[in-house]
Amino acid sequence: MAGVNVWIPEGRYTDIFTGRIYCGKRFVKMYRDIENFPVLAKEGAIIPMSANDRDNDCSNPAELELLVYRGNNTFTLYDSNSVSPTVAGTFFIKSLVAVAIAAGFIILYVSIRFRKIGGFTAAVCSVVALVHDVIIAFLACVIFGLEIDTNFFAVVLTLFGYSLNSTIVMFDRIRENNKHFAQLAICENVNKSLRETFTRSVFTAFTTFIAITSIAVVAEFFGVSALRSFAIPMLCGIVAGTFSSLFIAGPMWVKWSEARAAKESK
């Protein structure tokens, strides 16, 4: 067992594992082995510790507690954070349920609003475009090594609103053109509507992209991981959302509507 000379600053310190008291402003020779080296604290100090550290068991270091040392080898809980597999699994399931509920309301809303042009088909096409956006955001997290946490599900729900807005603008223009240019075929109507909304969708996406880029730059420069895990997948999701609104939802709706019209004509 090796001895180590350790300088103790001025004050009165206690080894939180053994309760031994050390008087400061001098060198103290400590003989405990390096794996169980003394952890010294003043009364009132906040100490991060694994939930099992006090039993010398670090098998689950993800369960972290912040303890306040009260003296006489006693502690009170200041804060705790658990990311155990059980807690993470429960959170993931609840998040999926929230996303599924949001998708259900989206289908209901779009079906009612665009019932004159086949609302349910428009709703399903919108949700398919949203699924595409979420997959792209997820791949961004994988590529950049980001955690799938609350920020990711915040990105998902934000993309739901952002991308859906562009898709609704496109379907709204299709509905209006269908009213005023009833002689146009389905594909011609959609092409005309896409041309009319293309500039608006791209400029809106570009403006939002610039704003989120500034957040990503700040996150990278100052090392703010919470902002980074939101900004990066959001940037990819904005690009994917613009693409899916213009080139997935519309063409998919055309194919579905033409197939339905051909079936009804038989």
Side-chain angles (χ1 to χ4, degrees), residues 107-174:
I107 291 176
L108 179 63
Y109 168 73
V110 177
S111 296
I112 295 173
R113 179 167 177 176
F114 299 105
R115 57 188 180 278
K116 292 184 179 180
I117 59 171
F120 180 74
T121 58
V124 172
C125 293
S126 299
V127 171
V128 170
L130 291 176
V131 171
H132 164 270
D133 304 340
V134 171
I135 291 174
I136 296 300
F138 175 76
L139 289 177
C141 290
V142 173
I143 292 171
F144 289 95
L146 304 175
E147 294 183 3
I148 306 299
D149 54 8
T150 52
N151 279 348
F152 175 74
F153 287 99
V155 168
V156 170
L157 295 176
T158 303
L159 286 176
F160 268 32
Y162 181 86
S163 180
L164 181 65
N165 179 64
S166 297
T167 305
I168 285 178
V169 168
M170 185 265 297
F171 278 124
D172 191 61
R173 186 56 58 91
I174 291 174

Side-chain angles (χ1 to χ4, degrees), residues 4 15 44 48 62 73 78 82 94 101 126 130 149 156 169 189 218 231 239 252:
V4 179
D15 183 349
N73 204 29
Y78 177 78
S82 176
K94 289 181 178 179
I101 292 174
S126 299
L130 291 176
D149 54 8
V156 170
V169 168
N189 183 3
V218 169
V239 176
M252 184 178 178

